[in-house]
């Protein structure tokens, strides 16, 4: 199906042509398995579902049985492309124009999966094992994907020793940024209850808006921290404040607001929840929390140095260590083994005409190959 050298661009194109919008697979994992099995990988298709959630197809593939087990984690699911008219190139055509590969998933992150497979093909048989943990649920709820796969591995008694996640971490060129951690994410939904009434008789009502305004001001103005050696300061941002009131002469019965905190490793979801509950404590206030992920850090050491040395060997420059950005499936993997993220430039991810330079895909394949050679040396 592919050149014997395993052309990463051809494989990336084949993956992009599968319109695998979360949670649909649309053949993407079949394409990947067809590339891995001739290399000697044992492929396991894993489908998970829970009540009220869509079933998700995943793939765990392993080459070898010995330790150490070096894992590459990623996802073949993509976000919806939006309206086709916004694209200059069809989102699932995987066209190459002027050295750029266009398509949904080109940057995030089908091309990095292809680059890693190409690197493994060029490496040959490792003195240990290489595995791929590929989910179809990273862009979705992340319930039936990586967490369930990690549980499946644990039940089998199978361990991961180190892991690279192929998210688009680079700013300008593949290898320029290595994510060694991520901030946590905590969302809060506040309801302030009042008593509805006529604005001409405010004493007969209880307006929830001033109370909500005070809460928004208090939480927004609070300095959570000043940052750490590896993390920027934590942030709290309100994303909506609403009373759902179209009338100008009615005091509303309640006000609602939603905020999100991106926090560093000086906090936990529990410590933040305790602070907020104390800050907004009132019999008229309800608040619900949902945790998107905890902050984590893979401390610089032998593993990160190995990756940095491989990048320097390939590109001539060491990567910048970073913990910025949103969440990724590394937040689940960090509890099982040391994990870092290294991938392509992500400037176009989730946008119309998402694209990546063909040369960058080849560059990333070379970097991954250098990492594997050093790891199994």
């Amino acid at each position: 199906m592919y050149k014997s050298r395993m052309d990463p661009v051809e494989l990336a194109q084949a993956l992009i042509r599968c319109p695998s919008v979360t949670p649909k697979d649309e053949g993407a994992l079949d394409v990947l398995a067809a590339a891995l099995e001739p290399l000697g990988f044992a492929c396991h298709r894993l489908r998970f579902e829970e009540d009220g959630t869509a079933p998700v197809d995943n793939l765990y593939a392993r080459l070898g049985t010995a330790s150490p087990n070096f894992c590459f984690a990623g996802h073949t699911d993509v976000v919806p492309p939006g309206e086709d008219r916004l694209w200059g190139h069809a989102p699932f055509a995987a066209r190459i124009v002027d050295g750029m590969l266009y398509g949904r998933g080109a940057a995030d992150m089908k091309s990095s999966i292809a680059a890693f497979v190409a690197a493994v093909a060029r490496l040959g048989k490792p003195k240990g094992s290489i595995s791929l943990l590929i989910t179809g649920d990273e862009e979705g709820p992340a319930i039936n994907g990586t967490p369930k796969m990690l549980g499946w591995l644990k039940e089998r008694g199978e361990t991961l020793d180190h892991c690279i996640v192929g998210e688009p971490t680079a700013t300008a060129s593949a290898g320029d940024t290595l994510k060694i951690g991520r901030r946590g994410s905590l969302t809060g939904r506040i309801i302030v209850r009042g008593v509805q009434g006529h604005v001409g008789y405010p004493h007969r009502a209880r307006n929830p808006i001033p109370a909500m305004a005070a809460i928004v001001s208090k939480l927004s103005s609070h300095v959570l921290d000043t940052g750490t050696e590896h993390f920027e300061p934590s942030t709290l941002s309100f994303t909506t404040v609403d009373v759902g009131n179209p009338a100008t002469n009615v005091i509303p019965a309640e006000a609602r607001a939603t905020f999100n905190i991106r926090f560093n490793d000086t906090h936990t979801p529990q410590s933040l929840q305790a602070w907020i509950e104390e800050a907004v404590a009132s019999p008229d206030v309800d608040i619900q929390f949902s945790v998107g992920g905890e902050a984590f850090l893979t401390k610089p050491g032998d593993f990160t140095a190995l990756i940095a040395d491989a990048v320097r060997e390939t590109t001539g420059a060491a990567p910048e260590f970073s913990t910025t950005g949103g969440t990724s499936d590394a937040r689940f993997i960090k509890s099982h083994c040391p994990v870092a993220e290294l991938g392509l430039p992500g400037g176009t991810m989730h946008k119309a005409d998402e694209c990546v330079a063909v040369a960058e895909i080849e560059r990333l394949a070379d970097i991954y190959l250098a990492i594997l050679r050093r790891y199994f040396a």
Side-chain angles (χ1 to χ4, degrees):
M1 187 174 183
Y2 307 104
K3 296 176 182 178
S4 59
R5 189 173 176 268
M6 187 64 73
D7 187 333
V9 178
E10 289 184 4
L11 179 53
Q13 287 179 291
L15 290 170
I16 291 168
R17 289 178 183 131
C18 301
S20 51
V21 176
T22 311
K24 297 180 180 180
D25 172 61
E26 301 295 349
L29 294 180
D30 288 336
V31 168
L32 184 56
L36 292 171
E37 287 172 346
L39 300 178
F41 280 85
C43 294
H44 304 271
R45 289 291 293 270
L46 307 169
R47 168 172 274 217
F48 299 110
E49 60 183 302
E50 286 185 6
D51 291 343
T53 64
V56 174
D57 291 306
N58 307 278
L59 174 69
Y60 178 71
R62 180 164 176 167
L63 175 65
T65 58
S67 295
N69 182 5
F70 183 94
C71 180
F72 175 89
H75 62 92
T76 50
D77 63 314
V78 297
V79 297
E83 297 183 41
D84 285 355
R85 64 179 181 82
L86 300 177
W87 289 70
H89 308 281
F92 298 110
R95 292 190 62 202
I96 297 175
V97 180
D98 296 330
M100 302 295 293
L101 171 60
Y102 287 86
R104 179 59 84 224
D108 187 16
M109 54 164 282
K110 291 179 174 181
S111 297
S112 64
I113 295 174
F116 186 80
V117 175
V120 175
R122 298 167 191 176
L123 175 72
K125 188 175 180 180
K127 296 178 180 179
S129 298
I130 297 174
S131 58
L132 285 88
L133 191 77
I134 308 297
T135 181
D137 192 30
E138 197 275 345
E139 301 288 7
I143 294 173
N144 295 318
T146 298
K148 294 281 181 67
M149 297 176 74
L150 292 168
W152 179 83
L153 287 174
K154 186 175 181 180
E155 289 177 358
R156 287 166 56 90
E158 195 161 340
T159 59
L160 309 177
D161 291 286
H162 293 87
C163 182
I164 281 184
V165 180
E167 288 289 346
T169 58
T171 54
S173 189
D176 64 14
T177 305
L178 178 69
K179 299 284 186 184
I180 60 170
R182 291 279 188 167
R183 295 176 297 174
S185 175
L186 176 69
T187 296
R189 295 173 175 85
I190 301 172
I191 299 176
V192 178
R193 295 183 303 277
V195 175
Q196 189 180 60
H198 195 291
V199 295
Y201 305 92
H203 57 286
R204 297 176 182 173
R206 188 170 71 251
N207 196 332
I209 296 176
M212 179 62 81
I215 290 173
V216 171
S217 178
K218 184 174 185 178
L219 296 186
S220 297
S221 62
H222 182 79
V223 177
L224 289 164
D225 56 71
T226 57
T228 67
E229 179 182 0
H230 298 290
F231 284 92
E232 296 178 342
S234 303
T235 61
L236 185 154
S237 300
F238 275 85
T239 57
T240 181
V241 179
D242 184 46
V243 295
N245 182 17
T248 61
N249 60 349
V250 177
I251 292 172
E254 66 179 28
R256 297 172 177 263
T258 302
F259 64 86
N260 179 266
I261 302 177
R262 294 301 167 104
F263 58 93
N264 59 37
D265 57 350
T266 62
H267 306 278
T268 66
Q270 295 75 24
S271 67
L272 291 168
Q273 290 178 31
W275 161 64
I276 293 166
E277 287 170 347
E278 181 179 358
V280 304
S282 167
D284 296 327
V285 176
D286 291 331
I287 184 166
Q288 295 179 337
F289 296 100
S290 59
V291 179
E294 296 194 21
F296 74 92
L297 176 70
T298 299
K299 292 184 178 180
D302 291 343
F303 179 49
T304 57
L306 182 149
I307 297 172
D309 289 344
V311 172
R312 186 186 295 107
E313 170 194 331
T314 307
T315 70
E320 176 187 355
F321 287 4
S322 171
T323 58
T324 60
T327 59
S328 76
D329 277 2
R331 69 189 189 274
F332 306 121
I333 299 167
K334 56 90 177 174
S335 300
H336 294 256
C337 69
V339 59
E341 300 175 51
L342 186 73
L344 292 161
T348 64
M349 62 179 175
H350 295 202
K351 294 182 178 181
D353 278 339
E354 179 179 348
C355 61
V356 66
V358 168
E360 289 295 320
I361 301 174
E362 287 285 2
R363 177 187 177 100
L364 184 62
D366 291 340
I367 292 171
Y368 285 157
L369 178 58
I371 291 171
L372 291 172
R373 283 174 172 164
R374 284 177 176 269
Y375 188 82
F376 291 107

